[in-house]
Amino acid sequence: MLARHTPLRAKTPMRRTAPVRKVARKAVSRGIKPNADEQAYWDTLGDVCMGCGRHGGTVVHHILANAPGKGSRRDHMLVVKVCPGCHNMGTNSVHLLGSEAAFLAKTGVDLVAIAVANRDDYLLGELL
């Protein structure tokens, strides 16, 4: 019988040879929060839903479609106020339908045109 010079190793789980490097996520700067000027513009928009005309409880919807003069992905000056039902909770909401164009086809309300007109009026000083 053959004799071993070294004992058998204990059954241990395999270990990694190199430590796992944790990569820090870089913060995406999309301008998530509006600055004071943009917030002042939002306050001038009122509290009436542009989709259905309901008063009170509106939220800000950022226009995601290509529009004249649109800057970044979330342009805080190109927004409309809509109720939660028209924004993302109802069956005919902008986010459920997928785009402002689909919302226009379903409801007949052009949110892009309203947002562009409101922004231009505000920048010209007429919406104050």
Side-chain angles (χ1 to χ4, degrees), residues 65-84:
N66 290 331
K70 183 176 174 193
S72 62
R73 182 173 185 266
R74 282 192 183 152
D75 190 351
H76 291 305
M77 295 297 287
L78 198 59
V79 297
V80 291
K81 288 221 179 165
V82 291
C83 67

Side-chain angles (χ1 to χ4, degrees), residues 14-37:
M14 294 185 62
R15 296 183 190 177
R16 266 185 206 269
T17 56
V20 177
R21 287 184 5 198
K22 292 188 178 180
V23 179
R25 288 189 172 198
K26 186 184 281 188
V28 178
S29 94
R30 283 189 228 157
I32 305 268
K33 293 183 180 178
N35 61 26
D37 294 334

